[in-house]
Amino acid sequence: MHIQLVKNEALNNASVPYIAEVSMGNDVTHLWRDYRIPVYYNKHKENGYSAEIAGFQVASETAERIPDLMKYLIENLTNVARLPNYAFVARRAQRVYPVYTIEDEVMVVTPNGPIFRHVELAKVRQYLTEYLHKTRILGKDGKSDKLHVRGIDPNTLGLRRPVFYLKKRDAADGDPFWAPVFENGAQDGVYAYAASSRRDVAKGVGPSVVWDLRNIVAHVLVTDKRLSDDNDLRADRIMPRYWQKLTESMTPTGKALVADALRLPIYEVNGKFIAVERRENENRNGIYVGDTLADLEARVAKDMIRRGHLSNAGALSVEAADASDEENIANDDLTLIEGIGPKIANLLAEKDILTFATLASNEPDAIKDILNQGGPAYNRHDPTSWPEQAALAAAGDWDMLNKLQEELVGGKYALA
Amino acid sequence: MKKFVAGRAPKVLQIAALFVVVSMFTTGTAFAQDGPTTQEIAFAIDNLTMFICAVLVLFMQAGFAMVEAGFNSSKNTINILFKNLIDVSLGAVLFFLVGYQIMYPGDFNGFFGFGGIGIPAQDALDPNYLPHYQVDFLFQVAFAATAATIVSGAVAGRMQFRAYLVYSAVLTGIIYPISGSWKWGGGFLHEMGFYDFAGSLIVHAVGGFAALAGALVLGPRIGRFNSDGTANAIPGHNITVAALGVFILLVGWFGFNPGSVLAMTGEANTILVMVTAVNTLLAAATGAVAATIISVFFMKKPDIGMALNGMLAGLVGITANADSVTNISALIIGLIAGILVVVGMIALEKLQIDDTVGAFPVHGICGVWGGIATALFGNFEPGIATLSVQLLGSAIYCVWAFGTMYTLFSVLKAIGWLRVDEEEEVAGLDVVEHGTLNYPEFVGAAVVEI
């Protein structure tokens, strides 16, 4: 392994004065063996220079010390001649568990404890969660702290949030499947790991890109006999920041697919039809894509019947959308703000605070008043940082928001 | 191990034969007139053989320690080494004080007797009783420590140290000597014609079933099994050390089995020792080969842990009968033991029983197999080692060891002495129970706890 610190000329950014160029050579079996890891500088901190690798942070008073610390960290992160593809993050417990892909399985290693290995990432997370509950690292079972999946960026080794998930229907007859999907480094496409390989679609941003990746992954899973029917896989939990990019190309059709409890507004992109499934209380949408309205309706009906949300295909019909269908989709997910959960988001929504921009325009005191009116379940929350966070979210500066949020919990994933 | 040699050339003839050999040798040397008598030389050779074999069996403690340490986490190695040290040291004291003369009480009712404290006095040259009690004690105490130490691997990583001290004292001081007396002390199983040459049942199945009782009462290590019943690997920290341990055990077994002939002089004895040694190696070899092949069948790749345990399985299987089967039979006995151990380890996993090193499949299952194989392959006089008596004897040893030890571990559990708590288990027994680390340079490393 060779690490060289170079001045960050390209960005001319005082907060990222250096880039650590890491060359792994034959130390790992990865296709990608060269990384460019940003070195941050914060003049307010004692150990001002810092870098983050797979969620673990190294920090020092001097930039020159950073490469040695990085080398030590990378060596310890290397497992079976691999660097992790994912990490599970427990934010409250301040733990990071690197996840490795080995042939067709994923693996998590605990320090001096069990190894969790399975073909399904979902299973590995379930097993690790059980273990962490039993060892009291995650607190009691059912409490809010849980493991979030993050991708490891193939260029910077930084953590990446998924932009959406590919999910198999909740089946009693088989292992659960979900694969987090990440934007690629150039942000012109998405990728996911499925059936032991990285699956890429690099054709820009849009519902058809989402759907193309779904098609590819569904196909390999069917070939692998881990999915019995191509229709069993859906694109779900599309995260707000990515959703905003998707909606730029989507035109409302004024129609919706409607059954008893279901309302899926229909959009059009380049002659294809997209039905949007909205979740209760949180802005994480799922989509279906069809070549024609009838094709779309058939796909939605089939999946909804499988998932038990619909009794028969005849119950679903295309009707005129009402105004609330599309408005809901335009709202931001305020739970991305650290400190706001679904209940507070609902309380704010009652006061017409539905977007990051609106939240950012409110003074902390005004938000505090809303919380106080909400009663004892709300008034102990401190909204001081919410407008600042919302402003970053509204501007789409997710990297800065992530950094800010880490500092808010006092929560870096420190080394010692 | 047999104290009562039945159906072999009388000692007098053996010594006479030796006399001829030794006198041919000594006539060419200077000390013919004043030198030791033939009987003295025979005595020396038999005792020397026993002494070497006892040392080899004692060295097996090192093998057990390495196997168990290597197959477990680095955070529990000091605890494992400590337990092995206690088995042999506390075991030696207790076996000296009470165990030896419980196991060999002289004339007794066949179920329980006690000849007195310590080692009985013996005239230097008793032609009917070779070897000397002193060297016999050395050999026997090594066997007792072996039976005890089998358990320490199965219960690794979660048992309180004080609970292990109690267990080790009770097993080596009382439980093992009592059941040993039933056969090797001339007790009721001996009278019934039960046969166990060097202790597939008396030593290994007793240890193996005690290990099963310990693993059951303790419960699995945290994270060993998921809520859906599937198992996770908790990898050993050093397979090199584990493999070294198995090789040490292989070498030590050449004390365990050939030494159990209890004599070297006399043509019949000398040949028997060598046949026993060859059978021991052959069974070890087929055990390892069979386990390797079977592990490929179940796990797609040859598994080193299974193969190493396969070698031990073959050794345990041949221990009851190494003196009484043919070389070909030894190959078959080891082969079947190698298959049984892999199936046993997989079955334990399915049953969610956490035996960290596979002590029960190796010593328990293959110990019973050794007892049964004695009836199937052994060459005996009528009435000795019949299938029914071997099955009965096997059942008695298994029920005895499992029943007494299950009770003991349950009592320890009831008074809160058995298991460490979750946080202590995660931290590791080395630091919690002994206040120190075997590998401070890794365990203290920053990235380990994240």
Side-chain angles (χ1 to χ4, degrees):
Chain A
M1 186 192 329
H2 179 73
I3 302 181
Q4 191 181 2
L5 220 51
V6 295
K7 278 225 163 7
N8 183 13
E9 311 268 345
L11 285 176
N12 192 21
N13 185 340
S15 67
V16 187
Y18 297 99
I19 299 287
E21 291 183 347
V22 179
S23 173
M24 293 295 286
N26 290 327
D27 293 348
V28 291
T29 60
H30 279 48
L31 190 56
W32 299 275
R33 292 173 178 176
D34 297 315
Y35 306 98
R36 289 172 55 80
I37 300 171
V39 177
Y40 295 95
Y41 178 64
N42 182 339
K43 64 182 175 186
H44 302 298
K45 286 189 176 171
E46 191 185 344
N47 288 318
Y49 290 93
S50 68
E52 199 179 277
I53 299 170
F56 298 89
Q57 204 175 53
V58 292
S60 172
E61 279 180 48
T62 62
E64 290 69 32
R65 178 102 181 88
I66 292 288
D68 282 346
L69 294 170
M70 270 185 177
K71 184 165 186 286
Y72 179 69
L73 177 56
I74 292 173
E75 280 168 356
N76 279 283
L77 276 169
T78 308
N79 206 328
V80 206
R82 288 160 172 85
L83 285 165
N85 295 98
Y86 305 102
F88 289 127
V89 177
R91 296 193 60 182
R92 197 164 299 175
Q94 296 182 29
R95 303 280 176 126
V96 181
Y97 295 90
V99 185
Y100 301 84
T101 304
I102 295 178
E103 291 165 10
D104 59 347
E105 293 186 324
V106 284
M107 176 181 89
V108 170
V109 180
T110 57
N112 255 319
I115 288 178
F116 301 96
R117 240 180 122 151
H118 202 276
V119 284
E120 305 291 5
L121 188 63
K123 275 282 178 191
V124 170
R125 188 175 77 158
Q126 179 197 326
Y127 296 155
L128 178 63
T129 303
E130 284 172 11
Y131 174 72
L132 296 178
H133 282 311
K134 281 187 201 153
T135 53
R136 304 184 194 174
I137 291 166
L138 271 192
K140 284 207 174 105
D141 199 359
K143 294 286 181 187
S144 56
D145 199 6
K146 61 179 182 182
L147 294 174
H148 299 273
V149 67
R150 296 286 181 264
I152 308 290
D153 189 293
N155 300 312
T156 66
L157 294 177
L159 291 185
R160 263 170 192 275
R161 283 166 186 257
V163 290
F164 66 95
Y165 293 84
L166 293 171
K167 269 193 172 178
K168 196 161 103 175
R169 79 192 151 93
D170 305 326
D173 59 333
D175 290 327
F177 172 88
W178 50 257
V181 179
F182 306 97
E183 267 193 294
N184 64 18
Q187 305 208 336
D188 64 352
V190 287
Y191 68 88
Y193 293 93
S196 61
S197 292
R198 178 173 147 153
R199 312 290 167 175
D200 266 285
V201 175
K203 290 194 291 191
V205 179
S208 60
V209 174
V210 171
W211 204 249
D212 284 353
L213 186 70
R214 189 217 74 93
N215 288 341
I216 290 170
V217 172
H219 178 73
V220 298
L221 291 179
V222 169
T223 312
D224 232 20
K225 296 193 167 56
R226 283 159 65 192
L227 198 65
S228 54
D229 184 325
D230 178 280
N231 283 304
D232 280 356
L233 195 71
R234 64 182 195 273
D236 198 11
R237 293 180 67 87
I238 301 170
M239 294 294 155
R241 55 185 277 208
Y242 193 67
W243 180 249
Q244 281 174 346
K245 291 186 185 181
L246 290 190
T247 50
E248 284 166 14
S249 63
M250 289 162 54
T251 317
T253 58
K255 298 190 179 83
L257 280 167
V258 179
D260 304 335
L262 296 172
R263 290 195 72 82
L264 286 77
I266 302 171
Y267 293 75
E268 197 184 339
V269 178
N270 301 333
K272 292 201 174 190
F273 293 94
I274 294 113
V276 178
E277 183 189 2
R278 196 175 170 276
R279 295 173 156 266
E280 290 274 324
N281 294 335
E282 55 176 2
N283 197 2
R284 286 174 174 40
N285 304 314
I287 62 168
Y288 298 87
V289 176
D291 293 332
T292 63
L293 265 182
D295 178 35
L296 181 67
E297 188 179 346
R299 278 186 180 278
V300 171
K302 204 168 179 180
D303 195 44
M304 289 296 179
I305 291 168
R306 281 176 202 282
R307 287 161 60 195
H309 297 321
L310 194 67
S311 54
N312 62 75
L316 195 68
S317 60
V318 179
E319 292 178 13
D322 54 34
S324 68
D325 290 333
E326 282 149 25
E327 187 188 283
N328 278 340
I329 289 161
N331 295 340
D332 289 328
D333 177 13
L334 297 186
T335 61
L336 290 181
I337 304 299
E338 176 113 3
I340 298 184
K343 285 182 183 165
I344 293 178
N346 282 344
L347 183 74
L348 295 174
E350 286 171 21
K351 301 289 176 188
D352 284 334
I353 299 176
L354 294 159
T355 62
F356 294 129
T358 330
L359 182 60
S361 67
N362 276 278
E363 290 296 321
D365 287 349
I367 305 170
K368 187 72 188 171
D369 287 343
I370 297 173
L371 292 176
N372 286 339
Q373 289 162 26
Y378 301 94
N379 62 16
R380 61 194 164 81
H381 294 273
D382 176 8
T384 316
S385 72
W386 296 357
E388 186 190 351
Q389 292 189 62
L392 290 169
D397 196 348
W398 302 100
D399 291 338
M400 279 310 291
L401 180 61
N402 285 348
K403 272 192 80 65
L404 173 66
Q405 289 183 342
E406 264 177 32
E407 287 165 18
L408 288 173
V409 281
K412 13 192 150 342
Y413 309 112
L415 275 180
Chain B
M1 159 76 32
K2 59 184 195 316
K3 296 294 282 186
F4 293 81
V5 182
R8 273 216 196 87
K11 208 94 199 175
V12 177
L13 285 184
Q14 294 173 18
I15 290 170
L18 184 83
F19 178 79
V20 176
V21 173
V22 172
S23 57
M24 282 163 67
F25 174 70
T26 50
T27 43
T29 61
F31 58 87
Q33 289 296 314
D34 304 309
T37 64
T38 314
Q39 203 179 12
E40 283 172 335
I41 291 171
F43 181 75
I45 290 174
D46 282 343
N47 278 276
L48 179 64
T49 306
M50 286 307 297
F51 171 69
I52 292 168
C53 289
V55 170
L56 282 170
V57 181
L58 276 172
F59 191 50
M60 284 171 69
Q61 291 294 320
F64 280 111
M66 293 303 102
V67 169
E68 293 167 17
F71 278 143
N72 275 284
S73 300
S74 58
K75 66 184 179 184
N76 295 321
T77 46
I78 288 174
N79 184 255
I80 287 167
L81 300 174
F82 217 141
K83 289 192 293 188
N84 280 272
L85 180 73
I86 285 298
D87 284 327
V88 71
S89 48
L90 188 62
V93 173
L94 288 169
F95 199 74
F96 172 80
L97 290 176
V98 291
Y100 187 59
Q101 292 212 53
I102 292 176
M103 190 140 171
Y104 301 105
D107 289 333
F108 76 123
N109 60 23
F111 293 91
F112 178 79
F114 182 51
I117 289 172
I119 304 167
Q122 183 185 352
D123 288 340
L125 277 175
D126 179 351
N128 297 316
Y129 206 94
L130 287 171
H132 194 273
Y133 280 133
Q134 290 285 333
V135 78
D136 186 56
F137 170 79
L138 204 59
F139 194 58
Q140 297 303 332
V141 78
F143 274 56
T146 299
T149 214
I150 287 166
V151 174
S152 78
V155 299
R158 59 224 198 263
M159 186 185 266
Q160 292 182 34
F161 190 58
R162 57 185 175 178
Y164 193 82
L165 292 178
V166 173
Y167 146 78
S168 182
V170 171
L171 191 96
T172 48
I174 305 169
I175 302 301
Y176 168 79
I178 289 176
S179 59
S181 74
W182 298 342
K183 163 63 191 161
W184 289 342
F188 75 97
L189 283 172
H190 177 75
E191 295 297 325
M192 290 169 71
F194 174 73
Y195 194 78
D196 187 355
F197 169 62
S200 280
L201 285 152
I202 296 168
V203 180
H204 293 280
V206 165
F209 276 82
L212 178 66
L216 274 174
V217 179
L218 262 176
R221 287 167 294 172
I222 299 170
R224 178 72 176 96
F225 299 106
N226 302 308
S227 61
D228 60 8
T230 53
N232 305 308
I234 301 183
H237 83 288
N238 194 333
I239 301 303
T240 311
V241 157
L244 174 65
V246 169
F247 286 120
I248 290 174
L249 286 170
L250 173 67
V251 172
W253 234 283
F254 289 102
F256 208 97
N257 288 357
S260 292
V261 174
L262 301 178
M264 179 62 96
T265 53
E267 189 185 7
N269 282 334
T270 308
I271 291 170
L272 191 62
V273 168
M274 297 314 152
V275 168
T276 301
V278 170
N279 282 347
T280 300
L281 179 68
L282 292 177
T286 48
V289 170
T292 304
I293 293 166
I294 296 294
S295 76
V296 174
F297 178 74
F298 281 110
M299 298 160 175
K300 296 177 194 158
K301 290 183 180 172
D303 184 284
I304 181 75
M306 292 293 184
L308 292 171
N309 271 336
M311 175 165 276
L312 299 182
L315 288 165
V316 172
I318 200 68
T319 296
N321 45 55
D323 66 327
S324 50
V325 299
T326 63
N327 293 158
I328 298 294
S329 297
L331 287 171
I332 298 167
I333 290 167
L335 185 90
I336 292 172
I339 295 167
L340 285 175
V341 76
V342 177
V343 172
M345 287 178 77
I346 291 168
L348 278 191
E349 209 170 86
K350 297 276 179 224
L351 294 168
Q352 300 194 36
I353 297 167
D354 184 17
D355 174 351
T356 66
V357 297
F360 175 68
V362 169
H363 301 276
I365 295 175
C366 293
V368 171
W369 162 239
I372 295 168
T374 304
L376 300 180
F377 297 95
N379 180 22
F380 296 99
E381 290 173 1
I384 303 292
T386 59
L387 186 58
S388 57
V389 78
Q390 289 303 104
L391 286 171
L392 177 71
S394 301
I396 287 171
Y397 277 106
C398 299
V399 169
W400 166 254
F402 184 81
T404 53
M405 287 299 122
Y406 194 92
T407 309
L408 176 71
F409 287 126
S410 298
V411 169
L412 290 168
K413 187 178 187 178
I415 61 170
W417 274 36
L418 191 64
R419 190 165 177 153
V420 296
D421 73 26
E422 294 93 341
E423 282 164 30
E424 291 172 336
E425 187 177 329
V426 171
L429 300 184
D430 288 0
V431 74
V432 170
E433 293 278 46
H434 309 292
T436 185
L437 295 170
N438 198 6
Y439 302 94
E441 72 278 21
F442 329 147
V443 178
V447 180
V448 173
E449 194 61 33
I450 45 187

